[in-house]
C-alpha cells in the first residue's frame, strides 16, 4: 500500500498579486490575508484526511513548472490563476497534462466585473469553477475534491 502522504495530497496554487490579499482593495478581495487562507486550507485538509500544499507565484513559468511537478504526486488541484486566468495559454496547456480533478477558484465574481475578466482560459480544462464566494470558495473546492477523491479510492 502507498503511504498516506503519497496518496492524499491536494495542491492549491495562487497566482499573481494574491500575496497582497488583505493589504489592498479589501472592498474587492476582502480583509483576509493569504496566510489566513492557507492556514484554513491546511486545517480543513487535516480534518478531511488530506495534506494540503500551497504555492503562490507572480510568475507564469513558475506556475507552469509547479503544475508539471505535481503530475504524479497529487490527487487534486485548486487554482486561482489571478490575472493569468484571462490570458495564459501556457497555464491552460499545463493543466491539460494533468489527469486529476482541477477546480478553478476566484475570490471575486469575475462575471460581475470588467468584460475582460469574463473569459477564463482555464475554465474549459477545469472540472468546475467557483467564483465570487470570497475565501470560502477555496474551502468549498477542497471539500469537493476530498469527497471526489474518496469516492474513487
Ligand atoms: O477574483 C479573483 O480571485 C481573481 O482571480 C483575482 C485577480 C484578478 O485579476 C482576476 O480577474 C480575479 C487579481 C488578484 C489580485 O489580488 C490582489 C489582492 C489584493 C490587492 C491587490 C490585488
Amino acid at each position: 500500500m502507498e503511504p498516506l502522504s503519497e496518496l492524499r495530497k491536494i495542491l492549491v496554487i495562487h497566482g499573481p498579486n494574491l500575496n497582497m490579499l488583505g493589504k489592498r482593495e479589501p472592498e474587492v478581495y476582502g480583509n483576509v490575508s493569504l496566510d489566513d487562507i492557507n492556514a484554513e486550507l491546511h486545517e480543513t485538509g487535516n480534518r478531511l484526511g488530506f495534506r494540503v500544499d500551497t504555492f503562490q507565484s507572480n510568475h507564469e513559468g513558475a506556475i507552469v513548472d509547479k503544475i508539471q511537478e505535481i503530475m504524479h504526486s497529487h490527487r487534486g488541484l485548486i487554482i486561482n490563476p489571478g490575472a493569468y486566468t484571462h490570458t495564459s495559454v501556457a497555464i491552460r496547456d499545463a493543466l491539460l497534462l494533468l489527469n486529476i480533478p482541477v477546480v478553478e477558484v476566484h475570490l471575486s465574481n469575475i462575471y460581475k466585473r470588467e468584460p475582460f475578466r469574463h473569459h477564463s482560459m482555464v475554465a474549459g480544462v477545469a472540472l468546475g469553477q467557483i467564483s465570487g464566494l470570497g475565501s470560502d470558495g477555496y474551502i468549498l473546492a477542497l471539500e469537493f475534491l476530498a469527497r471526489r477523491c474518496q469516492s474513487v479510492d
Side-chain angles (χ1 to χ4, degrees):
M1 201 171 104
E2 286 176 88
L4 194 66
S5 60
E6 288 302 314
L7 266 176
R8 297 164 76 89
K9 290 195 286 192
I10 289 175
L11 176 68
V12 182
I13 296 180
H14 306 284
N17 296 309
L18 288 160
N19 54 318
M20 299 306 287
L21 281 177
K23 298 180 183 140
R24 301 263 194 293
E25 297 189 59
E27 64 292 349
V28 184
Y29 299 117
N31 289 308
V32 185
S33 72
L34 193 60
D35 284 349
D36 294 337
I37 292 175
N38 287 340
E40 195 177 353
L41 282 164
H42 291 130
E43 268 172 42
T44 308
N46 283 342
R47 177 168 56 77
L48 297 172
F50 284 78
R51 185 177 115 189
V52 176
D53 294 324
T54 57
F55 176 77
Q56 189 277 328
S57 180
N58 294 328
H59 305 279
E60 187 175 20
I63 294 172
V64 170
D65 287 344
K66 194 71 188 176
I67 293 168
Q68 290 185 8
E69 207 181 290
I70 60 135
M71 241 182 344
H72 303 295
S73 55
H74 287 64
R75 299 290 300 274
L77 172 66
I78 296 168
I79 183 164
N80 181 347
Y84 289 139
T85 303
H86 317 295
T87 61
S88 182
V89 177
I91 291 175
R92 179 191 168 95
D93 286 348
L95 292 174
L96 279 169
L97 300 169
L98 298 178
N99 56 7
I100 56 172
V102 175
V103 179
E104 177 185 357
V105 169
H106 297 287
L107 294 154
S108 62
N109 182 340
I110 58 175
Y111 304 101
K112 279 186 170 174
R113 301 186 64 193
E114 305 94 319
F116 69 85
R117 295 187 203 272
H118 296 182
H119 182 257
S120 165
M121 300 297 293
V122 168
V125 298
L127 185 60
Q129 184 194 66
I130 298 174
S131 177
L133 303 186
S135 58
D136 287 350
Y138 288 101
I139 303 302
L140 293 168
L142 178 57
E143 286 173 347
F144 167 80
L145 285 176
R147 187 188 285 221
R148 183 164 173 119
C149 291
Q150 255 133 23
S151 74
V152 296
D153 267 354

